[in-house]
Amino acid sequence: MTLSISLWISLSLSSSISSAFAVVAPAPALASVSATGPDLLRLVAIPFFAWAAVRDIKTRRVSSQLWIPLAGLGAVLLGWDAWIAWNAGGLVWTYEFLLPAGIGLGLVVPIAYLFWWFGGFGGADAKALMVLALLFPIFPTYTLGSRTFPLTTTEIGAFSFTILTNAVLVGVVIPIVLAVRNALAGRIAPVMFVGWPIPWERVPETHGRLLQTPDGLTQGGLDLDALRMYLRWRGLSLAAVRDHPDRYRDPATLPTDPNPPTDGAVAADGARSDGGEPLEDAESEVIGEVTGDHATHETTDHEDPWGAAAFLEDIEGTAYGTSPSQLRDGLEVLAREETVWISPGTPFLVPVFVGIVIALAYGDLLLGTLF
């Protein structure tokens, strides 16, 4: 893969070990850029993380295949840096490479794994942080003209840890932005820090969590991916549910041959997230036959309203931990409300990407500012 940089880059090697792999990019009309070979090659990863952030916003899904080549590149560059530092010897090997690399790998990788284990991170988030621990074990250095970036460094020197703290700080700002946005629009509610209201028509194409139940607002409502799984399983659209809620509350209308529920993702191109053909909204062909009282749409009591328990028993897995009561409550709200509060959640790869950019340009937002 070729690396496109706005400046013309030429490679020059000097005889000293400290600059043995220096890369110099002269561009007389603009400025000169210099960086070590490993640091320059690390910039190859930036477009990949930008793409992952965009993908995370649109689908909340990032393929594991993205991280494999980046992990391989990180391992090679880590070994390259180790070779340079070993040959330099002394404090360079111990304090400028071994200590910060050990801190980054020893902290960031376990943190990413533990947060994934306890459900704080998604799988893609954890993999991204682990790859960053390999790609950026120590602070890189880029000289542009008379300026050197990052502008600040830390005593710790673990660049992947700097990216992580930057991402966390960016993530902390998001609830504040949501609250200000809602306040300016006059939407004052207990959940104004975590979500906003949207028309029901946007729910099928929105990722996040419903913040309403029939009893009021909540922060533990229905996962919208689970809702899409249910609708695809039944072969229904949300509009059909709203048109005939009494009919579909009756578990007798459940499909005899359900569709694959998929993983509930909103595919960016409109296709199914599992790669299959888009499911058709063919309720008359998919749902069970509706006869007798079931066709009158009269509300009746059922042991399993909406067939929520039957759905969760039929599929593989747990539909993101959704319980039958959560699914029923969410369907009741969506069957009657014109506008609903949803939480988009935090697509963490976006703060991660922003954290990388800030780290490369400025450094550590927290430690660099405090110390």
Side-chain angles (χ1 to χ4, degrees), residues 90-170:
L91 296 179
V92 174
W93 166 252
T94 304
Y95 292 102
E96 295 184 19
F97 174 77
L98 197 59
L99 184 60
I103 292 174
L105 290 168
L107 282 179
V108 175
V109 172
I111 287 173
Y113 181 79
L114 287 174
F115 269 77
W116 168 78
W117 179 265
F118 289 108
F121 285 161
D125 303 332
K127 292 170 187 175
L129 292 176
M130 292 177 185
V131 167
L132 283 172
L134 280 174
L135 277 170
F136 293 100
I138 60 177
F139 264 74
T141 301
Y142 303 96
T143 301
L144 177 62
S146 60
R147 304 294 296 273
T148 298
F149 299 92
L151 297 176
T152 64
T153 59
T154 65
E155 293 295 329
I156 297 176
F159 196 65
S160 59
F161 189 71
T162 286
I163 294 173
L164 175 59
T165 58
N166 286 353
V168 171
L169 289 176
V170 172

Side-chain angles (χ1 to χ4, degrees), residues 317-333:
T318 64
Y320 308 102
T322 301
S323 66
S325 61
Q326 282 180 317
L327 181 54
R328 293 181 191 119
D329 287 347
L331 288 167
E332 290 294 341
V333 169

Side-chain angles (χ1 to χ4, degrees), residues 8 47 88 182 216 224 294 308 322 326 340:
W8 296 348
N182 286 319
L224 298 184
H294 299 147
T322 301
Q326 282 180 317
V340 294

Side-chain angles (χ1 to χ4, degrees), residues 42-347:
R42 286 183 172 98
L43 296 178
V44 173
I46 307 306
F48 287 89
F49 277 91
W51 179 87
V54 172
R55 188 73 180 176
D56 202 17
I57 293 173
K58 290 183 176 181
T59 69
R60 296 297 198 277
R61 305 293 190 280
V62 178
S63 173
S64 297
Q65 295 179 355
L66 172 69
W67 311 117
I68 296 174
L70 291 181
L73 175 64
V76 170
L77 297 182
L78 180 66
W80 192 348
D81 273 331
W83 187 86
I84 295 174
W86 175 262
N87 282 280
L91 296 179
V92 174
W93 166 252
T94 304
Y95 292 102
E96 295 184 19
F97 174 77
L98 197 59
L99 184 60
I103 292 174
L105 290 168
L107 282 179
V108 175
V109 172
I111 287 173
Y113 181 79
L114 287 174
F115 269 77
W116 168 78
W117 179 265
F118 289 108
F121 285 161
D125 303 332
K127 292 170 187 175
L129 292 176
M130 292 177 185
V131 167
L132 283 172
L134 280 174
L135 277 170
F136 293 100
I138 60 177
F139 264 74
T141 301
Y142 303 96
T143 301
L144 177 62
S146 60
R147 304 294 296 273
T148 298
F149 299 92
L151 297 176
T152 64
T153 59
T154 65
E155 293 295 329
I156 297 176
F159 196 65
S160 59
F161 189 71
T162 286
I163 294 173
L164 175 59
T165 58
N166 286 353
V168 171
L169 289 176
V170 172
V172 168
V173 173
I174 293 176
I176 300 174
V177 173
L178 284 176
V180 171
R181 172 183 173 180
N182 286 319
L184 292 176
R187 301 189 292 256
I188 308 300
V191 293
M192 62 186 294
F193 286 89
V194 294
W196 61 73
I198 64 171
W200 71 265
E201 295 94 335
R202 290 176 52 191
V203 169
E205 304 301 323
T206 301
H207 281 287
R209 185 173 292 274
L210 187 66
L211 297 179
Q212 286 179 241
T213 69
D215 297 326
L217 297 174
T218 179
Q219 293 192 25
L222 175 63
D223 189 305
L224 298 184
D225 284 356
L227 170 69
R228 274 181 289 274
M229 291 176 66
Y230 170 82
L231 293 175
R232 292 168 184 174
W233 181 80
R234 290 198 69 168
L236 295 175
S237 66
L238 183 56
V241 170
R242 290 175 60 86
D243 288 340
H244 307 290
D246 293 335
R247 173 192 297 176
Y248 297 120
R249 284 191 189 96
D250 188 347
T253 62
L254 291 177
T256 56
D257 185 18
N259 288 311
T262 76
D263 63 358
V266 176
D269 56 2
R272 268 171 42 185
S273 60
D274 61 359
E277 293 297 323
L279 296 175
E280 296 182 359
D281 179 22
E283 58 187 80
S284 60
E285 287 82 8
V286 177
I287 65 171
E289 182 180 1
V290 180
T291 59
D293 292 339
H294 299 147
T296 65
H297 303 185
E298 293 179 359
T299 302
T300 57
D301 294 329
H302 307 291
E303 291 184 2
D304 182 19
W306 301 102
F311 159 70
L312 293 172
E313 290 174 2
D314 183 69
I315 66 171
E316 296 182 4
T318 64
Y320 308 102
T322 301
S323 66
S325 61
Q326 282 180 317
L327 181 54
R328 293 181 191 119
D329 287 347
L331 288 167
E332 290 294 341
V333 169
L334 292 169
R336 66 172 187 245
E337 298 292 338
E338 295 297 323
T339 302
V340 294
W341 278 83
I342 63 100
S343 172
T346 302

